[in-house]
Amino acid sequence: MDQAVLILIKPDGLKKSLTGNILTRLSETKLEIVAAKMVRVTQNLAEEHYKHLKDKPFFNEIIKYLQGELHDRKKVMALIYWGNEAIKKCRDLAGSTNPEEAESTSIRGSYGRITTSGVYENVVHVSSNDSEAEREIKLWFSPEEIIVDLYATQDIVHKEFKARSWA
Ligand code: UDP
Ligand code: MG
């Protein structure tokens, strides 16, 4: 079954210059990249992304982590991979959430660590099921940024629309 999956290269992955390694590992899946961009992560976006974990004791720490506050820059690389069994293939390559438990050859097992405050800095995010993938993809991307039609869209006419352009 063809599926879409949201991948985030988290701030530790970018800071450690792991982008190329991670993309190379993911290319083993032979899945297609259908969207990719660098994102400056606001607190709202981070909180919305992890909203199902709001009650966890580590919630505040992972919000700071995703926002890049532990790694100097508020940015992550967001990608959508698409193809047969995309979620399972990408999660298998990523490895377990806890980098100490992840297979040593997996992405998280190779490059992740647990911080002294207990946060799992595990380099990548991978959606864990279809409904999570859909929610996350709609949160991180607009339809025009994706080169295939993944979900239903609607046309909206904006009467007054403020946008930033090059000066
Ligand atoms: N996390 C953590 N400690 C935990 C569980 C999760 O620091 O005990 C962090 C970790 O960075 C993880 C993120 O919170 O990737 C989201 O947790 P989730 O359970 O969704 O794991 P994932 O789907 O990323 O494997
Ligand atoms: Mg998750």
Side-chain angles (χ1 to χ4, degrees), residues 10 49-50 52-53 56-58 61-62 65 91 94-99 108 114 118-128 132 136:
K10 297 185 186 181
H49 178 77
Y50 280 138
H52 55 295
L53 299 174
K56 301 284 185 194
F58 52 83
E61 283 299 306
I62 61 173
Y65 167 33
R91 280 196 75 92
S96 301
T97 306
N98 179 341
R108 288 167 164 179
I114 302 179
V119 179
Y120 300 165
E121 277 188 8
N122 52 12
V123 183
V124 286
H125 167 81
V126 183
S127 317
S128 54
E132 187 176 285
E136 293 176 351

Side-chain angles (χ1 to χ4, degrees), residues 6 15 18 21 23 38 43 52 66 72 74 91 105 107 131-132 143 149 151 153 164:
L6 178 81
K15 177 91 181 188
L18 294 171
N21 302 45
L23 296 181
M38 301 301 299
Q43 181 157 351
H52 55 295
L66 193 65
D72 300 343
K74 293 198 170 196
R91 280 196 75 92
T105 53
I107 295 170
S131 64
E132 187 176 285
D149 295 330
Y151 311 112
T153 56
R164 183 173 292 192

Side-chain angles (χ1 to χ4, degrees), residues 63-130:
I63 296 308
K64 278 199 233 157
Y65 167 33
L66 193 65
Q67 279 196 271
E69 288 186 11
L70 314 178
H71 301 91
D72 300 343
R73 265 233 199 272
K74 293 198 170 196
K75 66 173 179 189
V76 306
M77 187 172 189
L79 304 109
I80 303 171
Y81 280 76
W82 186 77
N84 186 40
E85 302 292 343
I87 294 175
K88 182 176 180 348
K89 283 177 182 161
C90 292
R91 280 196 75 92
D92 283 352
L93 272 182
S96 301
T97 306
N98 179 341
E100 297 295 329
E101 287 172 4
E103 280 225 39
S104 55
T105 53
S106 68
I107 295 170
R108 288 167 164 179
S110 304
Y111 305 121
R113 67 167 196 144
I114 302 179
T115 66
T116 45
S117 58
V119 179
Y120 300 165
E121 277 188 8
N122 52 12
V123 183
V124 286
H125 167 81
V126 183
S127 317
S128 54
N129 56 54
D130 273 317

